[in-house]
Amino acid sequence: MCLAVPGRVLDIGEKDGTRMASVDFGGVVKEVCLEYLPDLQVGEYAIVHVGFALQRLDEESAKQTLELFAQLGMLQEEFGDPWEQAAAAGGEPWPFTEEQRSEREARQP
């Protein structure tokens, strides 16, 4: 599932002529395009979907939404390590230890 997630702008710059920002999503920082919100400033919150800031959001609403997503495990689903998620789906811990990797390889035909 792909969510629109609120995030807080940490810094703003330009990349290849496009206004970009580092945005904090409850501890996960991603690069986001600000072209749809050209007046968004550092410290403000926005709803972000597939790497684009789409709508400004007040701090209280952003924090409540991030907390709810975290409680539901949706932040991990959206931003978590895909290798870790695949390992968990297969019933294996991540990261694999060297011993686990050797055992796993030994079991393969």
Side-chain angles (χ1 to χ4, degrees):
M1 174 176 15
C2 208
L3 299 171
V5 181
R8 182 176 177 269
V9 177
L10 299 176
D11 61 51
I12 297 173
E14 190 173 299
K15 183 176 180 181
D16 300 323
T18 302
R19 192 165 185 259
M20 302 292 290
S22 294
V23 177
D24 178 10
F25 300 95
V28 176
V29 177
K30 298 282 186 178
E31 190 173 62
V32 171
C33 177
L34 299 182
E35 290 298 304
Y36 295 132
L37 295 174
D39 61 338
L40 195 65
Q41 299 297 313
V42 170
E44 290 186 302
Y45 288 81
I47 293 177
V48 177
H49 181 63
V50 294
F52 290 87
L54 300 177
Q55 182 178 351
R56 183 176 276 106
L57 189 64
D58 66 275
E59 183 176 3
E60 183 63 28
S61 296
K63 287 182 176 182
Q64 287 176 353
T65 302
L66 284 170
E67 186 176 320
L68 178 61
F69 283 179
Q71 288 173 3
L72 296 172
M74 296 171 90
L75 287 178
Q76 179 64 19
E77 181 180 313
E78 188 70 13
F79 297 121
D81 183 331
W83 295 106
E84 181 180 352
Q85 292 171 8
E92 297 285 343
W94 183 261
F96 297 119
T97 66
E98 192 60 42
E99 181 180 321
Q100 290 168 319
R101 190 174 291 117
S102 296
E103 289 174 12
R104 188 180 177 112
E105 289 170 358
R107 290 187 305 226
Q108 293 178 351

